[in-house]
Amino acid sequence: MEQDGGKITVTIVGGGLVGALSACFFAKRGHKVRLYEYREDIRTAEYARGRSINLAMSVRARAALAVVGLEGALVREHGIPMRARMIHSRNGERRAIPYGTSEQCIYSVGRKYLNEVLLTAAEKNPNVELYFQHKMVGGDLSKGEINVEVINSEGSKKQMMVKADLVIGADGAFSSVRKQLMKQPLFNYSQTYIEHGYMELCIPPKKSGDFAMEANYLHIWPRGNFMMIALPNQDCSWTVTLFMPFEQFKSLDTPQKLLDFFNHFYPDAVPLIGEDRLVKDFFESKPSPLVSVKCKPYHVGSSAIIIGDAAHAMVPFYGQGMNAGFEDCHIFDNLMTKHKNNLKKALEEFSDYRNPDAEAICNLAMYNYIEMRDLVNHPSFLLRKKFDMFAHWLMPNFWIPLYSSVTFSHMRYSLCIKNREWQDKVLHRSMYFLSFATILGISAVAYKCQDTILNIYTSMIRSAHQYF
Ligand SMILES: Cc1cc2nc3c(=O)[nH]c(=O)nc-3n(C[C@H](O)[C@H](O)[C@H](O)COP(=O)(O)OP(=O)(O)OC[C@H]3O[C@@H](n4cnc5c(N)ncnc54)[C@H](O)[C@@H]3O)c2cc1C
């Protein structure tokens, strides 16, 4: 369907972070938007279910929020800057590893607050309608149709069909819209669960109401095969996330075993969390799984597309899932401008352009788990980090370290990997060249001083003869 310059109707499935932002983008263009969210409205719900209480936000998400005028409210006024990783060793020592230059930082933002602000901003537009407790259960995406199950206040369900020019699937890692795409020929899909799960705990504020640890850091307790991290919250508490193999979670089946484990691996965290709270929070929750999803293409003809976690769920170790999802909205918006609202062209280009980048960040996120839980303790990693920072300081536009390119630049994720591969090549070749030059230098000196060396050698042999 060609909508050259005209207004279209859009159905968005999912009112999480990406769906709500996508509604803001389409509303800004003047299109008619209907958003269907399975859960209750989190702005009024007594208890909001969901994952991670806070998230690390960096430039990709900020750029998208800036387009819809929300960057100030969400990041500069609400976000807590984190300038470095603070590494906690088992003996209680702490050491900071900066993320980038002194001006660069990532922000800790509350998921609920972010989602609420986005929904309210979307709803302010007269051309947006939000429907909660409406679950997409099927449909024919090639016709822009979805079937929605409505749950009324008495708990009874009814179904209806909704039709639009464009269906956007922003319904997360277990997307129902993606399930419909899977029925299309030539749709490729893979998912990987890692053997580690995660559980959220909490470090409360001090009695004085202050942060119990240095704020403005993302705290990490790397322990080889598992780790714990903590991000600051607005109320001066910390959301602590424990990542470890499910087997290990299972083995901690009594309060004593849990406390022994924590006192052994995270001794400085125990008094901060408090023994009673640790035991209560741990045994009241269950570890959640982590999945990585890759698929292609993201669209069906000119009538449907998936974005955010629905298209590329990733493990959370680069802090890029939401950033990438927000960048999807931004990129798609640019493509709508480029193709003058021609959906067929915009959808096709989105799939082709975005897929290599989405797969790249899924791969990088997997890699970063090893870096966070283990490599940060290795001297070779720290040496490389220092070299990268120095080279970046010397040549800011020429030598951009991998982490900085992903977190503080808009470089395509696939190019971030290529850039790192090129840097590795330059460093390896420089090492070879340096070793070769050193050997050459030593040989030249040896050649120049051969008489002296010969004299030393002869006198050594003579003195040796005296002993035999
Ligand atoms: C532990 C953890 C930590 C993370 N930390 C970070 C971080 O620091 N930085 C970062 O950038 N990212 C982070 N992420 C990733 C981030 O949470 C996701 O990338 C982001 O939430 C994706 O948003 P989304 O809107 O695509 O999906 P979701 O947030 O999953 O939202 C999908 C929405 O769709 C709704 N829905 C689902 N099915 C249906 C249906 N059939 N009908 C109607 N509605 C439906 C759901 O109820 C939900 O509201 C983290 C993830 C985890 C698990």
Side-chain angles (χ1 to χ4, degrees):
M1 186 188 295
E2 306 255 324
Q3 280 83 16
D4 207 3
K7 300 294 175 221
I8 59 171
T9 51
V10 183
T11 300
I12 297 177
V13 182
L17 301 177
V18 175
L21 178 64
S22 176
C24 295
F25 267 99
F26 279 99
K28 193 167 171 282
R29 292 185 156 269
H31 300 308
K32 173 131 187 72
V33 179
R34 287 198 199 98
L35 181 148
Y36 296 94
E37 165 56 47
Y38 166 48
R39 297 174 302 178
E40 287 172 70
D41 186 344
I42 53 158
R43 295 168 297 176
T44 49
E46 269 177 39
Y47 173 67
R49 281 177 299 145
R51 298 160 304 158
S52 80
I53 291 163
N54 50 21
L55 303 134
M57 184 181 280
S58 48
V59 299
R60 294 172 198 261
R62 292 178 60 188
L65 290 173
V67 178
V68 294
L70 292 174
E71 201 230 351
L74 282 170
V75 186
R76 277 177 275 125
E77 286 163 29
H78 168 81
I80 301 174
M82 298 182 288
R83 303 192 186 284
R85 296 161 164 170
M86 181 66 87
I87 309 296
H88 294 239
S89 2
R90 263 180 59 194
N91 63 11
E93 272 171 25
R94 296 174 186 198
R95 124 185 91 85
I97 307 178
Y99 279 122
T101 63
S102 52
E103 300 91 60
Q104 290 172 325
C105 65
I106 53 179
Y107 287 86
S108 175
V109 288
R111 180 189 287 273
K112 185 167 184 286
Y113 178 78
L114 185 57
N115 209 165
E116 285 175 354
V117 171
L118 287 168
L119 288 170
T120 303
E123 206 175 31
K124 269 190 194 145
N125 295 282
N127 45 335
V128 174
E129 290 165 17
L130 306 182
Y131 299 94
F132 296 95
Q133 292 181 292
H134 281 59
K135 182 181 181 185
M136 183 228 177
V137 288
D140 184 346
L141 296 180
S142 63
K143 294 184 184 152
E145 293 172 0
I146 61 160
N147 300 325
V148 177
E149 189 178 78
V150 190
I151 309 146
N152 69 23
S153 48
E154 289 87 49
S156 67
K157 296 171 183 172
K158 68 167 195 233
Q159 272 201 25
M160 61 182 190
M161 195 271 276
V162 181
K163 188 171 166 56
D165 296 318
L166 177 63
V167 176
I168 308 239
D171 50 344
F174 305 100
S175 167
S176 304
V177 180
R178 191 181 63 226
K179 276 186 199 125
Q180 297 302 315
L181 256 81
M182 284 167 109
K183 295 177 187 163
Q184 305 287 320
L186 303 181
F187 181 78
N188 288 317
Y189 171 76
S190 71
Q191 70 173 39
T192 309
Y193 280 98
I194 60 170
E195 58 173 297
H196 294 65
Y198 74 94
M199 182 185 279
E200 289 187 333
L201 304 167
C202 174
I203 294 179
K206 286 204 280 199
K207 282 210 174 88
S208 61
D210 292 338
F211 282 108
M213 299 188 289
E214 306 89 328
N216 304 121
Y217 292 94
L218 193 157
H219 289 255
I220 309 181
W221 290 257
R223 297 293 180 261
N225 193 29
F226 49 90
M227 69 167 181
M228 199 165 78
I229 64 168
L231 271 75
N233 293 314
Q234 279 285 330
D235 64 358
C236 295
S237 66
W238 293 84
T239 299
V240 179
T241 314
L242 176 63
F243 296 95
M244 61 184 186
F246 280 100
E247 282 305 310
Q248 207 150 0
F249 273 111
K250 232 192 263 169
S251 70
L252 304 176
D253 53 2
T254 65
Q256 195 53 50
K257 281 188 195 165
L258 174 70
L259 290 174
D260 289 347
F261 174 82
F262 262 75
N263 282 321
H264 186 69
F265 288 107
Y266 308 116
D268 62 338
V270 176
L272 298 176
I273 301 175
E275 287 193 356
D276 292 346
R277 179 189 279 264
L278 172 61
V279 170
K280 182 173 172 288
D281 288 356
F282 188 91
F283 288 105
E284 271 181 5
S285 38
K286 267 200 211 146
S288 304
L290 292 164
V291 69
S292 179
V293 169
K294 292 179 182 170
C295 62
K296 191 186 174 189
Y298 300 134
H299 71 287
V300 179
S302 60
S303 53
I305 189 143
I306 47 174
I307 56 174
D309 274 17
H312 45 66
M314 63 196 75
V315 291
F317 307 111
Y318 231 109
Q320 282 295 310
M322 165 197 56
N323 283 283
F326 282 11
E327 197 176 49
D328 287 349
C329 299
H330 196 178
I331 289 172
F332 192 72
D333 188 58
N334 287 339
L335 290 174
M336 288 290 274
T337 304
K338 179 177 168 188
H339 295 297
K340 299 191 178 76
N341 288 347
N342 182 316
L343 287 177
K344 189 171 186 310
K345 287 185 186 165
L347 264 56
E348 261 171 27
E349 190 170 338
F350 181 83
S351 272
D352 288 346
Y353 177 87
R354 198 57 176 155
N355 177 259
D357 294 331
E359 298 209 350
I361 189 59
C362 285
N363 295 340
L364 280 171
M366 283 284 190
Y367 158 79
N368 217 43
Y369 188 29
I370 305 166
E371 177 169 318
M372 281 177 91
R373 70 179 197 223
D374 195 22
L375 296 184
V376 285
N377 280 331
H378 289 218
S380 57
F381 168 83
L382 296 170
L383 191 70
R384 173 66 193 265
K385 195 102 194 149
K386 284 207 167 110
F387 172 82
D388 279 340
M389 296 307 290
F390 175 70
H392 183 52
W393 171 78
L394 213 59
M395 308 164 280
N397 295 324
F398 180 70
W399 194 275
I400 306 175
L402 177 64
Y403 188 85
S404 301
S405 66
V406 170
T407 309
F408 301 122
S409 92
H410 299 281
M411 189 186 288
R412 293 184 63 176
Y413 289 124
S414 53
L415 289 185
C416 296
I417 293 188
K418 289 210 175 96
N419 183 47
R420 169 63 175 224
E421 285 168 354
W422 167 80
Q423 288 173 350
D424 286 348
K425 220 185 257 175
V426 169
L427 280 180
H428 285 145
R429 289 201 178 151
S430 307
M431 293 302 281
Y432 281 132
F433 178 77
L434 267 177
S435 319
F436 184 66
T438 312
I439 293 169
L440 214 65
I442 292 171
S443 313
V445 171
Y447 180 74
K448 266 268 187 212
C449 312
Q450 53 181 305
D451 286 349
T452 325
I453 291 172
L454 205 64
N455 286 342
I456 295 170
Y457 184 66
T458 320
S459 63
M460 276 169 67
I461 293 197
R462 270 199 203 117
S463 32
H465 275 158
Q466 289 175 356
Y467 294 99
F468 296 103

